[in-house]
Amino acid sequence: GRSAPTSAPSDREGRKLDFMGRKLYSTGALGVRISNYSVLMATYQVLLWDKVKVFLEDVPQDKKVLTKALCIEGNCLTAQQIEVSRHHADCHGRTMSSSLAIHRHSWLRSSALTYDAGAKLEDLPFQGKDLFHEETDEMLERMRKYCMVGKTLGITDPPTQYKNRSWPRHYSRYPSSTS
């Protein structure tokens, strides 16, 4: 079928960052699913080893020690597999988190916000379902007060001495004086 259209940042570099962020997120999500499947397999192995323990009573005495060691080793390996899956899931979760930061950066980069405001928004702490951390309101209030003080003192625009400066390429947000 036809997928819903997605909006993308307007500038080329922003679209590249947005695409990379989406691909990283997909990769992280796949890694989390694989880790989850690996934990399910390890949990099933625990059940199988528990079923094997029932048959240990029927094993001849001379092979009982070896069979018991085999069961213990199998359970240890299963526990290791679960632990490794947890670490993988954590790494993939961090990949997903980084991809969200890249995605957010691509959108802030192409927004109408100033460079400083975009950088400040990127640094705001986020938390769970509430989206913003408790300290976010305090940070936004401080920013608002600084802006109000600036307006009161008559400092509303950035200094004009930099207006006609030719900025390096990585500052593509600022138009060059030659273009």
Side-chain angles (χ1 to χ4, degrees), residues 142-160:
R142 268 197 316 261
M143 283 175 53
R144 188 185 70 76
K145 285 181 181 178
Y146 289 141
C147 288
M148 293 302 290
V149 168
K151 285 181 182 178
T152 304
L153 296 174
I155 307 170
T156 55
D157 292 331
T160 56

mmCIF file of all heavy atoms in Angstrom, residues 142-160:
data_model
loop_
_atom_site.group_PDB
_atom_site.id
_atom_site.type_symbol
_atom_site.label_atom_id
_atom_site.label_comp_id
_atom_site.label_asym_id
_atom_site.label_seq_id
_atom_site.Cartn_x
_atom_site.Cartn_y
_atom_site.Cartn_z
ATOM 1 N N ARG A 142 13.899 31.103 33.107
ATOM 2 C CA ARG A 142 15.133 31.893 33.135
ATOM 3 C C ARG A 142 15.410 32.522 31.774
ATOM 4 O O ARG A 142 15.783 33.690 31.677
ATOM 5 C CB ARG A 142 16.314 30.994 33.539
ATOM 6 C CG ARG A 142 16.583 30.971 35.007
ATOM 7 C CD ARG A 142 17.973 30.424 35.313
ATOM 8 N NE ARG A 142 18.335 29.241 34.570
ATOM 9 C CZ ARG A 142 18.258 27.994 35.034
ATOM 10 N NH1 ARG A 142 17.825 27.776 36.247
ATOM 11 N NH2 ARG A 142 18.630 26.978 34.291
ATOM 12 N N MET A 143 15.206 31.739 30.696
ATOM 13 C CA MET A 143 15.416 32.275 29.347
ATOM 14 C C MET A 143 14.463 33.436 29.072
ATOM 15 O O MET A 143 14.841 34.449 28.492
ATOM 16 C CB MET A 143 15.208 31.176 28.299
ATOM 17 C CG MET A 143 16.359 30.208 28.180
ATOM 18 S SD MET A 143 16.039 28.837 27.038
ATOM 19 C CE MET A 143 15.542 29.654 25.563
ATOM 20 N N ARG A 144 13.205 33.289 29.493
ATOM 21 C CA ARG A 144 12.214 34.334 29.278
ATOM 22 C C ARG A 144 12.627 35.602 30.023
ATOM 23 O O ARG A 144 12.545 36.716 29.485
ATOM 24 C CB ARG A 144 10.835 33.881 29.747
ATOM 25 C CG ARG A 144 9.715 34.842 29.373
ATOM 26 C CD ARG A 144 8.395 34.410 29.968
ATOM 27 N NE ARG A 144 8.353 34.576 31.400
ATOM 28 C CZ ARG A 144 8.193 35.744 32.051
ATOM 29 N NH1 ARG A 144 8.090 36.861 31.374
ATOM 30 N NH2 ARG A 144 8.164 35.795 33.364
ATOM 31 N N LYS A 145 13.110 35.440 31.259
ATOM 32 C CA LYS A 145 13.539 36.610 32.038
ATOM 33 C C LYS A 145 14.725 37.308 31.383
ATOM 34 O O LYS A 145 14.784 38.536 31.321
ATOM 35 C CB LYS A 145 13.899 36.184 33.462
ATOM 36 C CG LYS A 145 12.687 35.896 34.311
ATOM 37 C CD LYS A 145 13.094 35.502 35.713
ATOM 38 C CE LYS A 145 11.866 35.180 36.556
ATOM 39 N NZ LYS A 145 12.248 34.744 37.903
ATOM 40 N N TYR A 146 15.684 36.513 30.859
ATOM 41 C CA TYR A 146 16.825 37.114 30.171
ATOM 42 C C TYR A 146 16.362 37.905 28.952
ATOM 43 O O TYR A 146 16.860 38.998 28.669
ATOM 44 C CB TYR A 146 17.838 36.057 29.744
ATOM 45 C CG TYR A 146 18.608 35.432 30.882
ATOM 46 C CD1 TYR A 146 18.910 34.082 30.875
ATOM 47 C CD2 TYR A 146 19.042 36.184 31.961
ATOM 48 C CE1 TYR A 146 19.618 33.499 31.907
ATOM 49 C CE2 TYR A 146 19.750 35.612 33.003
ATOM 50 C CZ TYR A 146 20.035 34.262 32.972
ATOM 51 O OH TYR A 146 20.728 33.702 33.996
ATOM 52 N N CYS A 147 15.408 37.354 28.211
ATOM 53 C CA CYS A 147 14.890 38.055 27.038
ATOM 54 C C CYS A 147 14.184 39.340 27.442
ATOM 55 O O CYS A 147 14.312 40.375 26.770
ATOM 56 C CB CYS A 147 13.937 37.157 26.261
ATOM 57 S SG CYS A 147 14.765 35.825 25.401
ATOM 58 N N MET A 148 13.414 39.278 28.532
ATOM 59 C CA MET A 148 12.713 40.465 29.006
ATOM 60 C C MET A 148 13.706 41.548 29.430
ATOM 61 O O MET A 148 13.500 42.733 29.150
ATOM 62 C CB MET A 148 11.779 40.111 30.175
ATOM 63 C CG MET A 148 10.616 39.219 29.787
ATOM 64 S SD MET A 148 9.586 39.914 28.503
ATOM 65 C CE MET A 148 8.799 41.237 29.380
ATOM 66 N N VAL A 149 14.769 41.156 30.114
ATOM 67 C CA VAL A 149 15.798 42.121 30.516
ATOM 68 C C VAL A 149 16.432 42.739 29.273
ATOM 69 O O VAL A 149 16.657 43.951 29.208
ATOM 70 C CB VAL A 149 16.863 41.445 31.417
ATOM 71 C CG1 VAL A 149 18.078 42.345 31.598
ATOM 72 C CG2 VAL A 149 16.269 41.069 32.751
ATOM 73 N N GLY A 150 16.716 41.896 28.272
ATOM 74 C CA GLY A 150 17.296 42.405 27.030
ATOM 75 C C GLY A 150 16.386 43.403 26.344
ATOM 76 O O GLY A 150 16.835 44.451 25.863
ATOM 77 N N LYS A 151 15.083 43.104 26.317
ATOM 78 C CA LYS A 151 14.136 44.031 25.692
ATOM 79 C C LYS A 151 14.043 45.326 26.491
ATOM 80 O O LYS A 151 13.942 46.411 25.926
ATOM 81 C CB LYS A 151 12.760 43.377 25.590
ATOM 82 C CG LYS A 151 12.677 42.350 24.492
ATOM 83 C CD LYS A 151 11.287 41.748 24.401
ATOM 84 C CE LYS A 151 11.246 40.694 23.325
ATOM 85 N NZ LYS A 151 9.929 40.044 23.235
ATOM 86 N N THR A 152 14.075 45.195 27.806
ATOM 87 C CA THR A 152 14.016 46.386 28.662
ATOM 88 C C THR A 152 15.224 47.280 28.417
ATOM 89 O O THR A 152 15.104 48.512 28.394
ATOM 90 C CB THR A 152 13.965 45.975 30.154
ATOM 91 O OG1 THR A 152 12.865 45.107 30.359
ATOM 92 C CG2 THR A 152 13.831 47.186 31.050
ATOM 93 N N LEU A 153 16.374 46.681 28.217
ATOM 94 C CA LEU A 153 17.598 47.449 27.979
ATOM 95 C C LEU A 153 17.764 47.862 26.523
ATOM 96 O O LEU A 153 18.731 48.520 26.161
ATOM 97 C CB LEU A 153 18.813 46.638 28.434
ATOM 98 C CG LEU A 153 18.890 46.322 29.927
ATOM 99 C CD1 LEU A 153 20.064 45.404 30.209
ATOM 100 C CD2 LEU A 153 19.002 47.602 30.738
ATOM 101 N N GLY A 154 16.831 47.428 25.668
ATOM 102 C CA GLY A 154 16.890 47.801 24.256
ATOM 103 C C GLY A 154 17.789 46.911 23.427
ATOM 104 O O GLY A 154 18.192 47.276 22.333
ATOM 105 N N ILE A 155 18.113 45.738 23.922
ATOM 106 C CA ILE A 155 18.957 44.794 23.183
ATOM 107 C C ILE A 155 18.048 43.713 22.618
ATOM 108 O O ILE A 155 17.780 42.707 23.254
ATOM 109 C CB ILE A 155 20.014 44.158 24.106
ATOM 110 C CG1 ILE A 155 20.803 45.224 24.843
ATOM 111 C CG2 ILE A 155 20.934 43.246 23.305
ATOM 112 C CD1 ILE A 155 21.689 44.683 25.926
ATOM 113 N N THR A 156 17.537 43.941 21.417
ATOM 114 C CA THR A 156 16.606 42.966 20.854
ATOM 115 C C THR A 156 17.177 42.242 19.648
ATOM 116 O O THR A 156 16.835 41.109 19.382
ATOM 117 C CB THR A 156 15.284 43.647 20.434
ATOM 118 O OG1 THR A 156 15.595 44.711 19.536
ATOM 119 C CG2 THR A 156 14.551 44.171 21.642
ATOM 120 N N ASP A 157 18.036 42.891 18.889
ATOM 121 C CA ASP A 157 18.605 42.265 17.696
ATOM 122 C C ASP A 157 20.051 41.888 17.950
ATOM 123 O O ASP A 157 20.730 42.514 18.754
ATOM 124 C CB ASP A 157 18.551 43.230 16.505
ATOM 125 C CG ASP A 157 17.123 43.485 16.076
ATOM 126 O OD1 ASP A 157 16.287 42.582 16.275
ATOM 127 O OD2 ASP A 157 16.851 44.579 15.550
ATOM 128 N N PRO A 158 20.556 40.878 17.229
ATOM 129 C CA PRO A 158 21.972 40.580 17.346
ATOM 130 C C PRO A 158 22.783 41.747 16.783
ATOM 131 O O PRO A 158 22.282 42.533 15.992
ATOM 132 C CB PRO A 158 22.154 39.315 16.502
ATOM 133 C CG PRO A 158 20.967 39.229 15.641
ATOM 134 C CD PRO A 158 19.870 39.977 16.330
ATOM 135 N N PRO A 159 24.029 41.865 17.194
ATOM 136 C CA PRO A 159 24.858 42.977 16.710
ATOM 137 C C PRO A 159 24.918 43.012 15.183
ATOM 138 O O PRO A 159 25.023 41.979 14.533
ATOM 139 C CB PRO A 159 26.232 42.683 17.299
ATOM 140 C CG PRO A 159 25.992 41.743 18.423
ATOM 141 C CD PRO A 159 24.741 41.007 18.111
ATOM 142 N N THR A 160 24.813 44.203 14.616
ATOM 143 C CA THR A 160 24.808 44.342 13.159
ATOM 144 C C THR A 160 26.198 44.221 12.559
ATOM 145 O O THR A 160 26.322 44.110 11.351
ATOM 146 C CB THR A 160 24.215 45.712 12.757
ATOM 147 O OG1 THR A 160 24.959 46.730 13.417
ATOM 148 C CG2 THR A 160 22.753 45.783 13.139
#
